[in-house]
Amino acid sequence: MARARFLAIVFLVGVSAAASAQEFDIFDRSDFLDPRLRGVALVPDPRGIMFRDESPFLLSRLSFGRVSDYYWRTAPTGADVTVAHVATSYYRGRHQFSLKLTHFSTNSGSDADVALIPRNRVTLQWAAYHARPDPSPPKDSDEAPVILTRYVFSASVEDPQNSDNSSVTQRNYELGGEMDVRVPGINVIGTLSYAHRHAANGTTQRFAFVYRTGQSDFRRLKIDTSIGYVAQKGDHWQWGNVRPAIHFRIPLDRASTAIHIAYAPTISVIGGVRVRHEIAAFLDRSLIAHVFKRQTSDSRPES
Amino acid sequence: MKTQLAVIVAVALFAPVLGAQSVCSKDHRPDRIRVRFIGECGNPRDLQELRVGGDSRFVLLAAIKKDEGYWEGRGFPSMIKSVQLCSNVCGVASSCVSGKATPDRDKNGSKICVAEYEFRCDEPAWTLNVSSTPLVTLSYTRRRPEAESVEQRGELKAAPGRLCDLASDETVSLKPQVKPYSFRDIVVSKASLVMKRNTWTLGASELLRYVELPGGRRPQGASDAESAFVQQDLKELKLTIEPAVR
């Protein structure tokens, strides 16, 4: 049963043929927005749980900061970078459409390190939220609980640091997808992602799994922790890295801004245990946050 | 003979009590209320408006100061079920009390039932200041740990507002009235505010923890996008403890 479920997951991810943006970009914060928060009603239906939209929402956020020993795709680069990242998402019903623009400028690192990192990246994403009844609801629950997950499909285009803008052939492309999956047997929901990358130096694939282990507060300080694993296939599959991360955030809600400090060591075990340290400090600010409408009459459910 | 004598004595002894019970029976609403303020209550106004019952839907009763040192007003309207009376005087800790029905006579010598209430100002009280950005309505529920205490409910329309007569052990549960989602109780007590240096500021990120969604929250923590969405309705809720106003 577990094997069948695992194969089903792999199949679903495979056919999604999409690539997330960088799963481990330390400055790219989660843009998951529970549709119920926007007033989207989850309506039980013989075909599953339907979504009724109420308040479409547009959110644009700017992140700007510095990353030391920047982790790019599957490994630390050794380079320090300054990052400007604008993520704009439109949420409607069960759908989310995102456009992410990222600019990197390298501050230090060898030529080989710097060459790994793109100069600019554009990512387009489409995400769909999915709800289903919780098969093992808490005993004290007085209503039918649901499990809400999200599928993300994305496409990215990158300009390498050394590229000439007129040379389109030097651009790198990624397609991929990610989905929230429940680990069979335990109540753990993590994000499994797959990416297919086409670059000047060849084609690669990678799988990653990120499990958000928790969120806690200490006065105004918010602390998120996660642990991730990534493996890559170039000519052949390579064992990847384990990457725990701790993310500190001080929200300045009145200014729609947050200060972020993050630390993510990368632990490699092949050829002896080695640890690399990625540290990031950046500001995150909402540029646009707009709720479009508040419908009062019932709208037709989206299938 | 002895038995007859015992009956006569018993009747003679209990007759006033039985009479009083008929005047102040369960079916008979008190004809008057008498209110005393015990302790350092400052100088309560000669005309007091007292709330009947602890619910948000209440009736006001007027009571006028008498030379005898108490405030007197007409009895409860017949449609009122509650016998709880709540003071509007700040400084009376947890101001709803139960009355004690006592038989008495009016000026004409007719038997009447008087409900007597005592509001005590000798218990320390504190004030909760509630403000929000933007202004929203908050419903509140006040509770004391004692089983016989009255639970009071009400609304603070478009905070800032204040609850000024809280007992030391009293807790206040606040619920911002925001659509389309709802909040679960944000519980605050004097002890919890003192721990936070008298002020508890809840930003959108923290308020998000109190959001209730149909079907329960997802197991993952709140995201920055969710925090940004909640900010559209409520950026901040500020709860501040003040010294009691007498």
Side-chain angles (χ1 to χ4, degrees), chain A residues 77-93:
Chain A
T77 57
D80 297 345
V81 296
T82 301
V83 179
H85 177 72
V86 178
T88 305
S89 298
Y90 177 68
Y91 302 85
R92 184 177 182 119

Side-chain angles (χ1 to χ4, degrees), chain B residues 64-103:
Chain B
I64 297 169
K65 190 175 184 182
K66 296 286 182 185
D67 294 338
E68 290 84 349
Y70 54 75
W71 278 253
E72 190 172 273
R74 290 179 180 277
F76 294 169
S78 57
M79 74 280 195
I80 298 296
K81 295 277 187 281
S82 173
V83 290
Q84 307 286 345
L85 204 60
C86 306
S87 165
N88 283 338
V89 175
C90 284
V92 182
S94 189
S95 55
C96 289
V97 292
S98 299
K100 182 183 165 190
T102 312

Side-chain angles (χ1 to χ4, degrees), chain A residues 58-276:
Chain A
L58 178 68
L59 176 65
S60 184
R61 299 172 75 85
L62 166 69
S63 302
F64 183 82
R66 196 81 188 254
V67 186
S68 161
D69 199 357
Y70 175 55
Y71 187 100
W72 171 241
R73 294 189 293 123
T74 57
T77 57
D80 297 345
V81 296
T82 301
V83 179
H85 177 72
V86 178
T88 305
S89 298
Y90 177 68
Y91 302 85
R92 184 177 182 119
R94 68 189 305 171
H95 305 290
Q96 175 187 336
F97 305 94
S98 300
L99 171 66
K100 296 180 177 178
L101 308 172
T102 315
H103 175 75
F104 299 90
S105 54
T106 51
N107 304 112
S108 67
S110 66
D111 289 347
D113 294 341
V114 169
L116 294 170
I117 302 166
R119 185 172 55 186
N120 298 304
R121 187 178 67 213
V122 178
T123 302
L124 277 168
Q125 290 184 325
W126 168 59
Y129 292 83
H130 174 71
R132 62 186 170 86
D134 190 344
S136 53
K139 284 176 184 172
D140 56 349
S141 176
D142 53 356
E143 56 185 334
V146 295
I147 293 179
L148 196 70
T149 52
R150 182 175 68 160
Y151 303 90
V152 184
F153 307 93
S154 61
S156 300
V157 183
E158 300 163 5
D159 274 338
Q161 287 287 344
N162 57 354
S163 77
D164 178 350
N165 280 342
S166 62
S167 175
V168 177
T169 54
Q170 287 190 5
R171 285 183 177 147
N172 302 329
Y173 302 90
E174 274 196 12
L175 286 173
E178 66 179 55
M179 62 190 292
D180 295 331
V181 292
R182 187 173 189 155
V183 177
I186 51 175
N187 190 21
V188 167
I189 291 185
T191 303
L192 183 67
S193 60
Y194 168 80
H196 182 93
R197 179 178 175 81
H198 177 78
N201 57 356
T203 300
T204 55
Q205 300 173 70
R206 67 178 184 273
F207 273 102
F209 181 79
V210 178
Y211 170 51
R212 283 170 285 280
T213 47
Q215 191 172 62
S216 52
D217 295 353
F218 181 73
R219 295 183 187 273
R220 294 188 67 179
L221 186 68
K222 315 290 172 195
I223 305 167
D224 294 303
T225 51
S226 64
I227 186 159
Y229 174 80
V230 61
Q232 179 174 257
K233 180 176 184 280
D235 296 331
H236 54 86
W237 279 105
Q238 296 169 324
W239 287 99
N241 300 312
V242 178
R243 190 168 178 273
I246 183 162
H247 197 113
F248 302 94
R249 179 166 57 101
I250 303 171
L252 310 170
D253 288 320
R254 289 179 79 100
S256 302
T257 303
I259 300 166
H260 300 259
I261 306 277
Y263 168 63
T266 301
I267 303 162
S268 310
V269 292
I270 304 301
V273 176
R274 284 168 296 152
V275 182
R276 296 279 292 270

Side-chain angles (χ1 to χ4, degrees), chain B:
Chain B
M1 183 62 188
K2 268 188 178 175
T3 311
Q4 283 176 332
L5 188 64
V7 169
I8 290 165
V9 169
V11 168
L13 282 173
F14 289 102
V17 178
L18 292 170
Q21 280 177 346
S22 64
V23 173
C24 286
S25 66
K26 268 189 177 176
D27 300 331
H28 189 104
R29 310 295 295 174
D31 304 294
R32 300 271 169 81
I33 57 162
R34 277 184 197 151
V35 175
R36 292 177 195 277
F37 292 96
I38 311 293
E40 293 295 321
C41 292
N43 292 309
R45 288 177 301 175
D46 289 354
L47 176 63
Q48 284 292 321
E49 283 189 325
L50 303 158
R51 289 187 291 126
V52 180
D55 210 292
S56 54
R57 298 176 66 184
F58 55 82
V59 171
L60 286 175
L61 280 184
I64 297 169
K65 190 175 184 182
K66 296 286 182 185
D67 294 338
E68 290 84 349
Y70 54 75
W71 278 253
E72 190 172 273
R74 290 179 180 277
F76 294 169
S78 57
M79 74 280 195
I80 298 296
K81 295 277 187 281
S82 173
V83 290
Q84 307 286 345
L85 204 60
C86 306
S87 165
N88 283 338
V89 175
C90 284
V92 182
S94 189
S95 55
C96 289
V97 292
S98 299
K100 182 183 165 190
T102 312
D104 203 347
R105 290 183 183 275
D106 64 7
K107 285 179 184 172
N108 305 323
S110 304
K111 286 181 180 175
I112 58 169
C113 181
V114 177
E116 294 186 325
Y117 295 86
E118 282 188 354
F119 291 114
R120 307 197 72 88
C121 299
D122 45 7
E123 188 181 346
W126 60 285
T127 299
L128 176 66
N129 227 316
V130 182
S131 60
S132 68
T133 310
L135 302 180
V136 295
T137 298
L138 291 108
S139 63
Y140 67 83
T141 306
R142 299 170 47 167
R143 290 186 192 90
R144 295 192 75 174
E146 288 91 19
E148 70 272 13
S149 68
V150 184
E151 195 173 84
Q152 298 179 61
R153 292 194 183 88
E155 274 189 350
L156 290 171
K157 296 245 183 227
R162 54 208 292 265
L163 297 168
C164 67
D165 52 359
L166 296 154
S168 302
D169 61 353
E170 193 160 6
T171 58
V172 182
S173 302
L174 293 159
K175 268 190 184 184
Q177 303 295 306
V178 173
K179 285 185 175 179
Y181 50 90
S182 59
F183 283 91
R184 63 186 167 85
D185 284 340
I186 300 168
V187 182
V188 62
S189 66
K190 186 179 182 184
S192 67
L193 281 179
V194 168
M195 290 274 285
K196 296 176 193 297
R197 297 180 188 170
N198 295 349
T199 300
W200 184 16
T201 305
L202 294 98
S205 318
E206 195 160 5
L207 286 164
L208 197 53
R209 287 169 40 207
Y210 292 93
V211 167
E212 272 187 332
L213 296 171
R217 280 206 57 78
R218 66 197 176 89
Q220 297 170 13
S223 73
D224 291 3
E226 290 175 330
S227 180
F229 184 81
V230 169
Q231 274 190 33
Q232 303 306 299
D233 298 309
L234 188 54
K235 267 190 194 308
E236 190 177 273
L237 180 64
K238 194 171 184 178
L239 310 173
T240 312
I241 188 172
E242 280 184 12
V245 179
R246 297 269 165 163

